[in-house]
Amino acid sequence: MNKAILIICDGLSDRPIDELGGKTPLEAALKPNLDELSRRGVNGLMHTIDIGIRPGSDVAHLSIFGYDPYTYYTGRGPFEVAGIGMDFKEKDIAFRGNFATVDPALTITDRRAGRIDNTQDLIEELTKIKIEGGRFIFKKGVAHRVGVILRGDDLSAKISDNDPHITYEKVQKVYPLDNKPSSKKTAKIVNRFLEKAYQVLAAHPLNKKRVQMGLLPANYLLLRGAGQVPNLIPFSQKYGLTSACIAGAGLYKGVGKMLGMKVINVSGTTGKEDSDISAKIKAAIKALNDHDFVFVHIKAADTLAEDGNFLGKKEFIEKIDKALAPTLKLTDTFIIVTADHTTASTLKMHTSDPVPIVIAGRGVRTDHVSSFGERAVAGGKLGFIRGEHLMKIILDLMGKAPLFGA
Amino acid sequence: MNKAILIICDGLSDRPIDELGGKTPLEAALKPNLDELSRRGVNGLMHTIDIGIRPGSDVAHLSIFGYDPYTYYTGRGPFEVAGIGMDFKEKDIAFRGNFATVDPALTITDRRAGRIDNTQDLIEELTKIKIEGGRFIFKKGVAHRVGVILRGDDLSAKISDNDPHITYEKVQKVYPLDNKPSSKKTAKIVNRFLEKAYQVLAAHPLNKKRVQMGLLPANYLLLRGAGQVPNLIPFSQKYGLTSACIAGAGLYKGVGKMLGMKVINVSGTTGKEDSDISAKIKAAIKALNDHDFVFVHIKAADTLAEDGNFLGKKEFIEKIDKALAPTLKLTDTFIIVTADHTTASTLKMHTSDPVPIVIAGRGVRTDHVSSFGERAVAGGKLGFIRGEHLMKIILDLMGKAPLFGA
């Protein structure tokens, strides 16, 4: 048993829902393959960070892979820029960027500038802006999105967003979030840059043309999620396992890239409801031929729950289940299915309820759990674990854990 | 309920094994007495260090007795020298030693010098070697083994072994494992000693005679497992319990001695499959007359699993079970049975899977567990505990735990 495939279904778990007869979407779903994995495996519940901690997807993934988010996480930015394939260096400050529309009073009229897509010329102009103390690097993301890196000495990620996160609010000045000189300096650099960026964007011919055509101009750059690129030991080095990452959504490709995994792009995967999960699973099984460990990320259960669409979530779980069928034929491979956090459809948000986990494969201490549901697995023999334990357990099952003592 | 007997069966627990119908050796064994203890007691699973940590026997025992191995453990040496009854002082550096055979190029041809036993004269010569900065003290162990203590000021255990641990490799220079001056100094002292030891041993008449007789000369001293003798609060002082230790294998006598327990030697106990476990249990019951707490160690389940001999392990567990019969008649005594770690017969190594534990005795919150197996106890009312919790629980059951608050 030298291989493992870890399937993280984002926001898979939920809370009981009246309209589903008091069941969760996972409990209500028809999911013969997941149930079979539960029967073959050891089941339990996992607090991906700790009891009562409500995790974002980014920190939850870090924790599940054994990287303490309290040490390594300073913001979402680095994951986003990694996810769109930007090259980064340790200590770079990375941001999630949006092209947006503001009126002359700097009130946001559209946070996405009409979902503009042809931003390449705008980005080129932004790249020409020179600011003392830091260099700004850009890469176009999906539609109105743009990855932004600030490179320089003694910079800090402890700065606020200029993005008020809602429409019809004024854009904000970036301010330092602590008293350190590096944070004050970074805020100053970013504010100077944003002023110049506004001048450049507002005057740009593309935007003048857009206005003439009745389209919203992309005249402002919104930045959020500043994070400093951490110095992570690559996954392969940390665990002695060659590894691959298969994900549709950028953030999770970013996780894979930051951990030094081989990021495998699979066509038809969108990070949305329509994603070709079967293609992902097939690609993962193929990747097991030349990788010890394959991480598969499946996104949409989270998004559907955030929309309060518990029926859609149930159906999407049934789609996941169908796609998982080929994993049941794997030999010499541990199959682990879990979530990064609960997304409660009733609250439309992430919650800290522990997530179900099953580990199937030869040698595991099976239990009597015959259904992969939040409450069914609670009687499982894995008990309650935390995210930080998972890689240690997998490594130990493989017979590759380091020995403490003699 | 003022007494307790803690029976640690080394490597007792295991993983499910196909050839045993998917049962572990413990689950497959006929063990009416262990099952009766489970029925009378409260059951659960214990991570002797923590979830996902694969423990050596030494650190696992420290943890079970409530001594944090991350604080107190620096290497195996101190346990070994304690186990053969050497007197040691705090801060002594202790090693496991072997007489070995090397060829003129210092390549090891036998790590055990033909399992030489009459090493007393060799040890006497080694004792005469003077090295500035440290004094070397020896005691003969079983056969080719020798306990080695280095005593001096500002010494460190952060040095490597000179033992390459395999035959047909060259012996190694000892090197410091960190940058501290004490480690560099200790490595230097040990290397100087080893050079002189080689000269003394190679020229020794006993070895010349052995060569003439066609025997392998014991011309080299291999050192491994350097550890600094920690400053442990004696068990009796820590818990207010007079205590005794009954073990066959040296390491576990060493644990008992290091904790200041009365080490009781029982004839017929070997630390092997043929050990007279019944004699141990009888001696333990007798020791309860004048001790509050008796630790019994039973070794061979671990060794058998490390040989992959799961059938032998099952049979040995049945032998343990028979020997435990008299404990069922004890009154006024808590009986605790557990393991220090799992040894997976399939992998032939220690693993981090939690170990079963039962605590029987008046006043415990009994549960519905009726079989002492890895999976059966997982439903027990003790839940999951860590090694560090066990002594606290025992003390509390006895009504002797300190109060926090008022």
Side-chain angles (χ1 to χ4, degrees):
Chain A
M1 299 294 284
N2 287 316
K3 307 265 179 175
I5 177 168
L6 170 61
I7 300 158
I8 301 184
C9 305
D10 212 286
L12 177 73
S13 66
D14 210 310
R15 292 182 179 174
I17 292 165
D18 292 347
E19 293 89 335
L20 294 178
K23 290 184 176 180
T24 68
L26 180 61
E27 288 169 345
L30 193 72
K31 47 178 192 325
N33 295 313
L34 283 163
D35 293 344
E36 176 62 20
L37 284 172
S38 276
R39 273 190 293 274
R40 292 187 192 179
V42 61
N43 300 268
L45 286 167
M46 177 163 71
H47 294 279
T48 49
I49 308 290
D50 205 348
I51 299 176
I53 304 294
R54 195 163 80 84
S57 290
D58 40 18
V59 297
H61 277 77
L62 276 184
S63 186
I64 289 171
F65 288 121
Y67 296 81
D68 178 9
Y70 292 104
T71 302
Y72 295 112
Y73 184 79
T74 54
R76 175 80 157 244
F79 297 89
E80 295 281 332
V81 303
I84 58 172
M86 289 183 82
D87 289 320
F88 48 78
K89 292 184 181 174
E90 195 192 326
K91 299 203 171 169
D92 277 353
I93 310 297
F95 303 83
R96 310 169 75 181
N98 267 17
F99 284 101
T101 309
V102 294
D103 70 13
L106 295 186
T107 298
I108 297 174
T109 52
D110 189 337
R111 289 185 65 249
R112 299 179 182 88
R115 294 194 184 268
I116 183 173
D117 192 33
N118 57 334
T119 59
Q120 205 53 63
D121 288 354
L122 301 176
I123 286 173
E124 229 162 78
E125 286 307 304
L126 291 179
T127 304
K128 291 177 188 161
I129 297 172
K130 305 282 177 223
I131 302 288
E132 204 186 330
R135 189 182 142 216
F136 285 83
I137 306 161
F138 302 87
K139 187 172 178 183
K140 186 182 166 350
V142 176
H144 56 282
R145 292 191 191 131
V146 56
V148 181
I149 284 173
L150 168 57
R151 185 168 294 164
D153 294 328
D154 302 319
L155 299 178
S156 157
K158 294 278 179 196
I159 59 168
S160 66
D161 300 344
N162 75 330
D163 181 354
H165 295 266
I166 42 172
T167 316
Y168 306 120
E169 289 274 333
K170 273 201 167 190
V171 298
Q172 296 169 352
K173 284 268 174 207
V174 169
Y175 53 90
L177 294 172
D178 63 20
N179 264 322
K180 291 192 181 150
S182 58
S183 306
K184 291 178 190 171
K185 173 182 163 187
T186 309
K188 202 178 259 178
I189 290 171
V190 174
N191 282 323
R192 275 196 199 138
F193 172 81
L194 289 169
E195 275 170 39
K196 290 206 182 176
Y198 177 46
Q199 292 165 16
V200 165
L201 294 174
H204 197 282
L206 177 77
N207 277 328
K208 295 195 167 156
K209 204 172 142 195
R210 281 179 70 85
V211 172
Q212 282 166 8
M213 292 170 70
L215 295 172
L216 292 167
N219 59 5
Y220 212 88
L221 186 66
L222 293 178
L223 296 182
R224 64 189 195 281
Q228 190 155 35
V229 175
N231 179 18
L232 298 175
I233 305 163
F235 184 90
S236 60
Q237 198 177 317
K238 190 172 167 81
Y239 299 114
L241 301 175
T242 55
S243 57
C245 159
I246 293 173
L251 172 63
Y252 311 94
K253 291 182 185 177
V255 170
K257 180 163 178 183
M258 284 186 72
L259 302 186
M261 294 176 172
K262 162 93 180 154
V263 177
I264 297 173
N265 289 305
V266 178
S267 84
T269 66
T270 61
K272 294 178 190 157
E273 230 180 310
D274 62 0
S275 194
D276 189 346
I277 311 173
S278 272
K280 272 186 184 170
I281 297 295
K282 280 176 198 154
I285 291 172
K286 198 174 153 211
L288 284 169
N289 289 327
D290 43 9
H291 296 89
D292 302 318
F293 182 94
V294 179
F295 154 47
V296 180
H297 184 269
I298 300 170
K299 176 68 184 167
D302 173 55
T303 326
L304 289 159
E306 286 194 328
D307 290 340
N309 184 356
F310 51 83
L311 276 178
K313 182 170 177 176
K314 171 183 161 290
E315 279 161 26
F316 187 74
I317 291 168
E318 292 175 345
K319 180 175 165 180
I320 294 176
D321 186 80
K322 281 204 187 77
L324 288 180
T327 65
L328 294 175
K329 293 184 199 122
L330 286 172
T331 54
D332 201 39
T333 302
F334 291 102
I335 302 156
I336 304 104
V337 182
T338 188
D340 55 346
H341 53 73
T342 295
T343 307
S345 298
T346 44
L347 296 175
K348 302 183 184 180
M349 62 194 264
H350 296 192
T351 63
S352 74
D353 308 76
V355 299
I357 176 162
V358 58
I359 306 177
R362 197 165 56 249
V364 304
R365 292 178 179 171
T366 51
D367 49 38
H368 300 299
V369 177
S370 58
S371 170
F372 188 66
E374 291 88 341
R375 285 173 286 195
V377 299
K381 299 209 186 309
L382 193 61
F384 287 84
I385 63 169
R386 289 198 301 275
E388 62 170 302
H389 297 134
L390 181 58
M391 282 307 306
K392 291 177 182 170
I393 292 171
I394 294 173
L395 220 56
D396 185 57
L397 282 169
M398 288 177 155
K400 291 182 177 179
L403 184 69
F404 174 39
Chain B
M1 300 294 284
N2 287 316
K3 307 267 180 173
I5 176 168
L6 170 60
I7 299 158
I8 301 183
C9 306
D10 212 286
L12 177 72
S13 66
D14 210 309
R15 291 181 179 173
I17 292 166
D18 292 347
E19 292 89 336
L20 294 177
K23 291 185 175 180
T24 68
L26 179 62
E27 288 170 344
L30 193 72
K31 48 178 192 325
N33 296 312
L34 282 165
D35 292 344
E36 177 60 21
L37 285 171
S38 276
R39 274 190 294 273
R40 292 189 192 176
V42 60
N43 300 268
L45 285 167
M46 177 164 70
H47 293 279
T48 50
I49 308 290
D50 203 350
I51 300 176
I53 304 295
R54 192 162 82 84
S57 290
D58 40 19
V59 298
H61 276 76
L62 276 183
S63 185
I64 289 172
F65 288 120
Y67 297 82
D68 178 8
Y70 291 104
T71 302
Y72 294 113
Y73 183 80
T74 53
R76 177 78 159 244
F79 297 89
E80 294 281 333
V81 305
I84 58 171
M86 288 182 84
D87 289 318
F88 48 77
K89 292 185 183 174
E90 193 192 328
K91 299 204 169 169
D92 278 353
I93 309 299
F95 303 84
R96 310 169 77 180
N98 267 16
F99 284 100
T101 308
V102 295
D103 70 12
L106 295 186
T107 298
I108 297 172
T109 51
D110 188 336
R111 287 185 66 248
R112 298 179 183 90
R115 293 193 185 267
I116 185 173
D117 192 34
N118 57 332
T119 59
Q120 207 51 65
D121 288 354
L122 301 176
I123 286 173
E124 226 161 80
E125 285 306 304
L126 291 179
T127 304
K128 292 178 189 162
I129 296 171
K130 305 284 175 220
I131 302 288
E132 205 186 330
R135 189 181 141 216
F136 285 85
I137 305 162
F138 302 87
K139 186 173 179 184
K140 187 182 169 342
V142 176
H144 56 282
R145 290 188 192 135
V146 55
V148 182
I149 285 173
L150 167 59
R151 185 168 294 163
D153 293 330
D154 302 319
L155 299 177
S156 156
K158 294 276 180 199
I159 58 167
S160 67
D161 301 343
N162 75 329
D163 181 354
H165 295 264
I166 41 171
T167 315
Y168 306 118
E169 289 274 331
K170 272 200 168 189
V171 297
Q172 295 170 350
K173 284 269 173 205
V174 169
Y175 53 88
L177 294 172
D178 64 21
N179 265 322
K180 292 194 181 149
S182 58
S183 305
K184 290 178 190 168
K185 173 183 159 185
T186 309
K188 203 179 260 180
I189 289 171
V190 173
N191 282 323
R192 275 196 199 138
F193 172 81
L194 288 169
E195 274 169 42
K196 290 206 181 175
Y198 176 47
Q199 291 165 16
V200 164
L201 293 174
H204 197 281
L206 177 78
N207 276 327
K208 295 197 166 156
K209 205 172 141 194
R210 280 178 70 86
V211 174
Q212 281 166 7
M213 290 169 69
L215 296 172
L216 293 168
N219 58 6
Y220 212 89
L221 185 66
L222 293 179
L223 297 182
R224 65 189 196 280
Q228 192 155 34
V229 175
N231 179 19
L232 298 175
I233 305 163
F235 185 90
S236 59
Q237 196 178 319
K238 190 172 166 82
Y239 298 115
L241 300 174
T242 55
S243 59
C245 160
I246 294 172
L251 172 64
Y252 311 94
K253 292 182 185 177
V255 170
K257 179 161 180 184
M258 283 185 73
L259 301 186
M261 295 176 172
K262 161 90 180 158
V263 177
I264 297 173
N265 288 305
V266 178
S267 86
T269 65
T270 61
K272 294 180 188 154
E273 229 181 312
D274 62 0
S275 194
D276 188 346
I277 311 174
S278 273
K280 273 184 183 171
I281 297 297
K282 281 175 196 155
I285 291 173
K286 198 175 151 207
L288 284 169
N289 288 326
D290 43 9
H291 296 88
D292 303 318
F293 182 93
V294 180
F295 154 46
V296 180
H297 183 269
I298 300 170
K299 176 67 184 168
D302 174 54
T303 326
L304 289 159
E306 287 196 327
D307 289 341
N309 184 358
F310 51 83
L311 277 178
K313 182 171 178 175
K314 171 182 161 290
E315 279 161 25
F316 187 75
I317 291 168
E318 292 175 345
K319 181 176 164 180
I320 294 176
D321 186 78
K322 282 204 185 79
L324 288 180
T327 65
L328 294 174
K329 293 184 198 121
L330 286 171
T331 54
D332 200 38
T333 303
F334 291 103
I335 301 155
I336 304 105
V337 183
T338 189
D340 55 346
H341 53 74
T342 294
T343 307
S345 298
T346 43
L347 296 175
K348 302 183 182 178
M349 63 195 267
H350 296 191
T351 65
S352 76
D353 309 77
V355 298
I357 177 163
V358 59
I359 306 177
R362 197 165 57 248
V364 303
R365 294 181 180 170
T366 51
D367 51 37
H368 299 299
V369 177
S370 58
S371 169
F372 188 67
E374 292 86 344
R375 286 174 285 194
V377 299
K381 300 213 186 308
L382 195 61
F384 285 85
I385 63 171
R386 290 198 300 275
E388 62 169 302
H389 298 133
L390 182 58
M391 282 308 306
K392 292 176 181 168
I393 292 171
I394 294 173
L395 218 58
D396 188 53
L397 282 169
M398 288 176 156
K400 293 183 177 177
L403 183 69
F404 175 41

